[in-house]
Amino acid sequence: MIYRVIGRILEALGVLLLVSFFVFSIATLIPGDLSLQLTGVDGATEENIMRVRAELGLDRPFIEQYLSWIWNATQGNFGNSPLTNRAILGDVNAALPVSLQLALFGLIGATIVGAPIGVFAAVRSSSRLGQLIRTNLIVLLSVPSFVVGALLVFFSSRYFPQTYRSLFIRISDNLMENLKVMFLPSLALSLTLAGVVAQVTRNALIQELNQPYVLTARAYGFSSRKVVFTYALRGAVVQILTVGALLFGSIVGGTVITERVFALPGIGNLMVTAIGNRDFNLAIVAILYVTVVYLILNTFIDLAAEKIDPRIRNMKS
Amino acid sequence: MAMTNEKLLEVNDLCVTYRIGKKSLEAVKGVSFHLRPGFCLGIVGESGSGKSTIAASVLGILPRELAKVNGEVLWGDEDLLRLSRARLNALRGAEISMIFQNPSQALHPMYTIEFQLEQVFDKVSSSNFSKGTLSVSEAMSMARLKCSKDILNTYPHELSGGMKQRVMLAMALMGKPQLIVADEPTSALDVTVQLEVIELLRSIIANENVSLLLISHNLGVVAGIADEIVVLRNGGIVESGTAEQILLEPQHTYTRELVGIRV
Amino acid sequence: MSKDLLVELIDIEKVFLARKNFMNKVKPQKALSNIDLQIYPGETLGIVGETGSGKSTLGKIILGLERPTSGRLFIQGKEVLTSRTRSKIGSEYGFQMVFQDPAGSLNPQLRIEQVLAEALGTVESSPGSSRMVRLQQSLEEVELSKEFLNRYSGQMSGGQQQRVANARALLTKPRLLVLDEAVSALDAVTQSHLLRLLKKLQKKHNLTYIFISHDLEAVAEMSDRTVVMYQGRIVEQGESSTIYHRPKHPYTRGLKASIPIRDPRLAKTQRSLMRRDLLTNEEVPQHACPFVDRCPISDEAKCITATPQLTCVPEYSNHKVACHYYRDFDERFNQIGKG
């Protein structure tokens, strides 16, 4: 077991290294850097730019910059963002919980809405209602999140002003207010993702319902409920979990749009803003945080899958 | 509930047609046979002859949207084809049980043997029949399995084919059924294990007064257990008679072909 | 070792490792243990066994498709380094294999002509027309008309597909052919036809066959010598007729007793020779006879503590059995065995 854990950690470090290298490379390829931001439009003389660049160390060769960043990183020193002059770690640490919370609530909401629809669609797949659901799911799937978000903001601010909160309150500051703030964005995300959850649930469940061991259950006269929930659902859960975990990861890193529409200071927002400003020191840390989230999720999926499906434990890797 | 009829199961003019899209396929064309208590009827035929469809029809597990079934399958004075879902479910496992060909697929891969056996036990215990059930350990003993943790706490993929089939047999016996429908019960097993299972089925029929509807393409297996045999070809019966008649003095040319060369 | 031998295996062992699971328990599977085998040119060696016997693994090791974990392998007197993967065994030593699943071994996207040509391609490239002639001849040999060259495998019956598989194996003019359950998936009539055909081809081309099957009767018919395997070990070996008519090892006896009988009067009294205890899932201990939990004459004293080695049976030449009590089988069976 020890070997396994060590192996995983080494793997993770390798991934992080790769990602950091990749981001660094992209950073050098993208035109423009912080020097322009710092000098401002007026002060953008040749001398000033060169001076700022030298200050920031942006004129050193790529490898040197990268290695010195790595060196600092291993000591936990990520420095300050030249733009904000605040510690990078502090900003990122503050942003991550926001995204995690959004992802959690969004996913839970999506499951509450989507999973029952998926189960229903699978069980009734041959009936007309089932077919109807299948086609409508595709519609649900195609509505972009910002449309849902924007619509929600519009309608809530007009007709249900109590639900709309523009100022973000941290969970550590005031739980109730935080929940009120998170309500609409979570709802937006849930509605967007419910379609995906429903689709995956439906497909996985249909596959399971066609398995021979489910037929055995029917042959022994088990009730429909038992057949679906005890015998069929278990096999489907691995697939659903996998998709769910991946969704979680993509929300944490990717719902910039939802964060922007609802003005949430999440990590997606932070990342995109930083990149837009060419503040790569900040961006790279944010990206790495998201990578770590994915790595943890991956491990979680593997462990959960093994627990649920015992055949996986004995398979050759 | 004692059967006053001589016939336990009576199939009259069973017809099954599969509808796949626009096409329809007649899998079973007017088949009739019956089974007496404590008796084994073997249905032999090649693949595609419709024998598995007949087995599935008795238990009513054909997919309703795909298959159209006509005829009668009489269990006492009830027609299994026209029973309510609730009544059919009550009979399954308790009065009529089924064993499938591939025990690796018929058992749920993610639950332990104990769990799966107990599920069936709970179900048959709650059915309305006062004749009682076997406990899990009694059923396992009857299938010649030791009721020990090293079997109960394992998952199906950790057991050999022969053991899995015995687990299925234990499952089938728990409700003290009057009829067991066995669809190619030994086809996936090694030949030495096959003989052990044949012997087991023989003794169960004799000692527990259970009837067996045995579907197989393997004549050796049928020879070892069946009292009477029905030969199926393309959904219809070409010949039927006692085991001796069919296997030693076949009349129909198709039967002679089937029987003629070494198994 | 004699130069007469085509292949010799000495103390071959093959272990498959399962993945380390959460508790770091590695569950190794011993597929083959202590295998000593000699294969003479021109003979048919039968290997009979059921699931888990290791017979297929053995066939693959002979061919080089699997690497043994330990042991030595000699081909025509020269040692073959088992540490190196042998990818082109066919061309190197002239060994070929035919598998059980006729449809699976033929690429369904290709015409038979292409399927056969592929096999030729790995050995040599011959000019167009003479190659076509070779392909046609190969089909004729397996009694298929040359129009089959234009068909796809999906348009043929199982028997025809298996003939093509055989034709393909023979195209490269091999010296040794491993037939791993090559006829098992076919119906009885086709089986006998194909076996007869294989025998004919063997004589014609002076081939060596390794005939692997679970069917004792088929093996006894086809082979000169038979090797009986159980759980990765050879439990009995000798002349096929002796093995079939006078089996010594309790497992071989059990195998023979399980051959399906068509006569219902006899079939209804057919009894398995195996032990009648309640089955458990316990593993047989390492240093025991692998057959101990099913054997009708096994005891706690010797059979659990010492794995029997292959010893010569004095009455017959070249007949070996790995059993502590085979000499007293009848006596012990009457005492202990009968359930």
Side-chain angles (χ1 to χ4, degrees):
Chain A
M1 156 126 164
I2 282 292
Y3 293 125
R4 209 166 170 215
V5 171
I6 292 180
R8 279 274 162 163
I9 294 183
L10 284 175
E11 241 177 57
L13 286 176
V15 171
L16 289 172
L17 213 65
L18 224 72
V19 171
S20 66
F21 186 77
F22 186 63
V23 174
F24 238 86
S25 315
I26 297 224
T28 40
L29 290 173
I30 293 182
D33 55 36
L34 266 179
S35 56
L36 277 170
Q37 291 277 8
L38 288 173
T39 57
V41 177
D42 298 328
T45 61
E46 189 102 4
E47 309 172 355
N48 276 346
I49 292 184
M50 302 255 319
R51 181 176 54 85
V52 171
R53 295 191 89 217
E55 265 176 35
L56 294 176
L58 289 174
D59 52 349
R60 292 176 300 161
F62 168 76
I63 289 292
E64 208 188 301
Q65 289 188 46
Y66 181 62
L67 287 177
S68 81
W69 184 86
I70 294 274
W71 176 245
N72 285 329
T74 50
Q75 297 169 1
N77 174 19
F78 293 97
N80 292 353
S81 156
L83 211 53
T84 63
N85 246 337
R86 287 196 304 267
I88 287 179
L89 265 189
D91 281 354
V92 184
N93 281 338
L96 185 65
V98 179
S99 295
L100 286 178
Q101 187 185 10
L102 179 63
L104 192 65
F105 285 9
L107 207 54
I108 291 177
T111 309
I112 293 176
V113 174
I117 295 179
V119 170
F120 185 82
V123 171
R124 296 260 179 271
S125 62
S126 45
S127 76
R128 239 174 303 157
L129 185 55
Q131 305 281 27
L132 209 73
I133 293 183
R134 207 191 84 214
T135 33
N136 285 330
L137 272 183
I138 300 179
V139 172
L140 249 185
L141 282 174
S142 352
V143 179
S145 53
F146 61 86
V147 172
V148 177
L151 284 174
L152 275 179
V153 170
F154 176 70
F155 282 110
S156 67
S157 60
R158 266 193 123 193
Y159 302 111
F160 305 102
Q162 320 91 301
T163 58
Y164 182 65
R165 288 279 181 283
S166 52
L167 195 60
F168 182 74
I169 309 280
R170 294 202 156 264
I171 198 169
S172 43
D173 296 338
N174 185 335
L175 180 62
M176 266 316 290
E177 289 302 309
N178 170 273
L179 289 179
K180 287 185 194 168
V181 174
M182 291 299 277
F183 171 68
L184 276 182
S186 308
L187 185 62
L189 211 50
S190 301
L191 291 177
T192 314
L193 294 175
V196 176
V197 174
Q199 184 78 308
V200 170
T201 308
R202 176 188 176 270
N203 291 343
L205 200 55
I206 286 184
Q207 223 182 0
E208 285 299 300
L209 286 171
N210 285 324
Q211 293 291 343
Y213 40 88
V214 172
L215 185 63
T216 305
R218 285 199 220 267
Y220 275 90
F222 288 118
S223 66
S224 288
R225 181 182 320 154
K226 180 140 255 182
V227 170
V228 171
F229 290 104
T230 308
Y231 281 83
L233 203 56
R234 181 139 175 156
V237 163
V238 176
Q239 274 179 286
I240 300 173
L241 261 186
T242 308
V243 172
L246 288 175
L247 276 180
F248 189 88
S250 74
I251 298 173
V252 171
T255 39
V256 183
I257 293 172
T258 311
E259 285 177 8
R260 289 250 163 129
V261 167
F262 291 96
L264 298 174
I267 210 165
N269 213 345
L270 190 69
M271 247 196 315
V272 172
T273 315
I275 294 175
N277 289 335
R278 303 290 184 274
D279 188 356
F280 289 112
N281 292 325
L282 183 56
I284 199 174
V285 178
I287 292 172
L288 287 178
Y289 264 55
V290 175
T291 311
V292 170
V293 169
Y294 265 108
L295 287 169
I296 296 177
L297 282 173
N298 258 337
T299 312
F300 167 72
I301 299 176
D302 286 348
L303 287 178
E306 258 185 39
K307 201 97 227 298
I308 298 176
D309 188 348
R311 294 174 294 183
I312 299 179
R313 299 178 203 163
N314 294 331
M315 267 168 34
K316 284 199 193 154
S317 51
Chain B
M1 205 185 294
M3 287 284 155
T4 49
N5 271 353
E6 220 199 21
K7 296 179 188 169
L8 188 64
L9 180 78
E10 188 176 346
V11 175
N12 286 327
D13 205 27
L14 180 67
C15 297
V16 180
T17 311
Y18 286 117
R19 268 184 325 238
I20 307 174
K22 296 238 160 78
K23 290 194 186 171
S24 64
L25 175 70
E26 274 186 275
V28 180
K29 305 168 188 165
V31 164
S32 305
F33 59 84
H34 66 266
L35 218 68
R36 289 190 292 276
F39 189 80
C40 174
L41 177 69
I43 302 186
V44 304
E46 297 175 311
S47 53
S49 54
K51 46 195 205 300
S52 287
T53 307
I54 294 179
S57 309
V58 171
L59 269 162
I61 53 176
L62 288 173
R64 295 223 165 149
E65 311 83 42
L66 291 178
K68 203 161 69 97
V69 186
N70 282 322
E72 286 185 318
V73 176
L74 297 176
W75 178 257
D77 42 10
E78 295 176 280
D79 183 356
L80 296 179
L81 297 178
R82 286 163 187 87
L83 281 186
S84 68
R85 173 98 315 158
R87 175 75 185 141
L88 201 55
N89 278 346
L91 285 178
R92 290 171 178 168
E95 291 287 309
I96 310 177
S97 294
M98 190 152 176
I99 309 178
F100 298 91
Q101 170 172 0
N102 199 334
S104 312
Q105 295 175 349
L107 290 171
H108 200 297
M110 304 180 201
Y111 290 119
T112 60
I113 301 295
E114 181 169 25
F115 181 85
Q116 298 189 56
L117 285 173
E118 282 184 348
Q119 288 293 308
V120 176
F121 179 76
D122 290 339
K123 191 265 169 190
V124 297
S125 307
S126 64
S127 293
N128 297 349
F129 298 94
S130 48
K131 62 187 162 118
T133 62
L134 293 179
S135 68
V136 169
S137 63
E138 284 171 336
M140 286 176 78
S141 297
M142 204 176 278
R144 280 219 284 122
L145 283 173
K146 194 156 183 205
C147 185
S148 59
K149 285 298 166 195
D150 61 282
I151 296 182
L152 290 171
N153 284 349
T154 53
Y155 293 93
H157 68 276
E158 298 172 319
L159 295 176
S160 71
M163 296 201 67
K164 281 186 281 219
Q165 199 61 304
R166 286 170 199 261
V167 168
M168 292 245 62
L169 192 53
M171 221 183 256
L173 292 167
M174 258 194 286
K176 288 204 186 166
Q178 296 189 53
L179 172 66
I180 295 180
V181 179
D183 190 354
E184 303 275 8
T186 59
S187 303
L189 305 176
D190 284 332
V191 66
T192 50
V193 179
Q194 182 173 282
L195 182 55
E196 290 178 300
V197 172
I198 292 175
E199 275 189 291
L200 194 52
L201 288 172
R202 248 199 328 253
S203 74
I204 288 173
I205 296 173
N207 299 339
E208 310 297 321
N209 205 37
V210 178
S211 293
L212 183 67
L213 184 62
L214 175 67
I215 286 99
S216 182
H217 67 274
N218 186 327
L219 295 176
V221 171
V222 176
I225 322 180
D227 302 302
E228 283 184 14
I229 298 177
V230 151
V231 181
L232 211 60
R233 182 201 201 190
N234 281 340
I237 297 181
V238 296
E239 191 171 353
S240 65
T242 66
E244 282 86 0
Q245 286 170 343
I246 298 286
L247 293 169
L248 299 175
E249 295 157 5
Q251 305 292 310
H252 194 281
T253 38
Y254 178 69
T255 321
R256 294 171 85 100
E257 226 180 85
L258 262 186
V259 172
I261 320 273
R262 186 173 77 79
V263 151
Chain C
M1 85 232 63
S2 152
K3 283 244 160 60
D4 278 326
L5 285 175
L6 183 55
V7 180
E8 181 165 13
L9 286 82
I10 297 185
D11 203 20
I12 292 285
E13 202 178 85
K14 176 69 183 172
V15 180
F16 287 110
L17 288 171
R19 186 172 87 129
K20 294 191 216 305
N21 64 20
F22 202 59
M23 292 302 145
N24 205 30
K25 260 190 308 202
V26 182
K27 278 205 223 162
Q29 254 187 304
K30 239 186 178 186
L32 291 173
S33 311
N34 302 126
I35 303 291
D36 294 312
L37 199 61
Q38 298 85 32
I39 304 171
Y40 297 93
E43 73 165 341
T44 303
L45 179 70
I47 303 182
V48 65
E50 297 178 301
T51 314
S53 58
K55 59 190 196 298
S56 288
T57 312
L58 188 53
K60 288 185 194 161
I61 285 184
I62 293 171
L63 273 179
L65 289 174
E66 282 284 358
R67 250 179 297 158
T69 313
S70 68
R72 305 168 78 190
L73 175 58
F74 296 83
I75 299 184
Q76 281 203 298
K78 273 174 57 186
E79 179 153 10
V80 174
L81 291 171
T82 55
S83 53
R84 146 183 100 90
T85 34
R86 297 153 60 190
S87 49
K88 287 199 173 164
I89 354 86
S91 48
E92 255 185 87
Y93 297 105
F95 291 1
Q96 283 292 345
M97 189 158 179
V98 179
F99 298 91
Q100 171 169 15
D101 176 11
S105 60
L106 302 176
N107 189 335
Q109 314 267 23
L110 301 177
R111 283 194 329 267
I112 298 303
E113 179 194 335
Q114 296 166 299
V115 169
L116 294 176
E118 246 185 356
L120 262 188
T122 63
V123 179
E124 52 181 272
S125 46
S126 37
S129 59
S130 74
R131 170 185 268 219
M132 184 54 88
V133 169
R134 267 186 84 171
L135 296 184
Q136 289 172 349
Q137 280 176 342
S138 74
L139 281 188
E140 269 169 32
E141 280 216 310
V142 294
E143 293 171 9
L144 286 176
S145 79
K146 59 183 188 233
E147 59 164 58
F148 274 92
L149 283 175
N150 289 324
R151 293 215 202 160
Y152 289 85
S153 69
Q155 298 169 318
M156 301 162 55
S157 73
Q160 292 164 336
Q161 288 167 340
Q162 206 61 321
R163 286 172 205 249
V164 169
N166 277 299
R168 177 177 58 183
L170 291 170
L171 255 182
T172 52
K173 298 211 193 306
R175 281 183 303 175
L176 180 105
L177 202 54
V178 175
L179 302 157
D180 190 353
E181 303 273 17
V183 295
S184 306
L186 308 170
D187 63 86
V189 180
T190 319
Q191 269 195 36
S192 359
H193 271 163
L194 213 49
L195 288 178
R196 240 176 290 142
L197 177 63
L198 284 170
K199 270 213 157 122
K200 200 181 78 178
L201 290 168
Q202 180 182 31
K203 276 203 203 82
K204 179 169 173 199
H205 297 282
N206 197 28
L207 296 166
T208 309
Y209 279 163
I210 310 242
F211 188 77
I212 302 177
S213 177
H214 61 274
D215 185 343
L216 186 61
E217 272 184 321
V219 171
E221 243 176 68
M222 275 298 282
S223 347
D224 308 307
R225 292 189 304 136
T226 299
V227 163
V228 181
M229 294 188 68
Y230 187 79
Q231 301 287 76
R233 290 181 177 276
I234 297 180
V235 295
E236 188 166 4
Q237 65 183 66
E239 304 278 321
S240 294
S241 57
T242 322
I243 298 264
Y244 184 75
H245 291 111
R246 283 174 288 274
K248 296 274 174 256
H249 194 280
Y251 173 66
T252 321
R253 291 178 187 254
L255 202 52
K256 184 167 176 204
S258 316
I259 295 177
I261 300 175
R262 192 86 54 63
D263 184 335
R265 298 165 300 189
L266 298 173
K268 295 239 172 30
T269 52
Q270 189 180 14
R271 296 198 88 203
S272 158
L273 293 182
M274 307 297 174
R275 235 187 157 81
R276 280 163 201 294
D277 301 344
L278 296 182
L279 291 179
T280 65
N281 198 29
E282 283 162 19
E283 271 177 31
V284 174
Q286 275 279 37
H287 295 292
C289 173
F291 193 53
V292 69
D293 55 343
R294 296 174 77 195
C295 182
I297 63 170
S298 63
D299 70 4
E300 305 268 300
K302 277 195 209 165
C303 302
I304 298 239
T305 51
T307 314
Q309 302 298 316
L310 278 171
T311 50
C312 290
V313 174
E315 303 96 314
Y316 308 106
S317 58
N318 284 333
H319 195 122
K320 294 190 185 161
V321 192
C323 176
H324 294 300
Y325 295 114
Y326 76 92
R327 277 165 286 256
D328 317 310
F329 183 86
D330 295 312
E331 201 185 297
R332 290 179 68 92
F333 187 76
N334 288 330
Q335 276 178 2
I336 323 169
K338 282 202 181 140

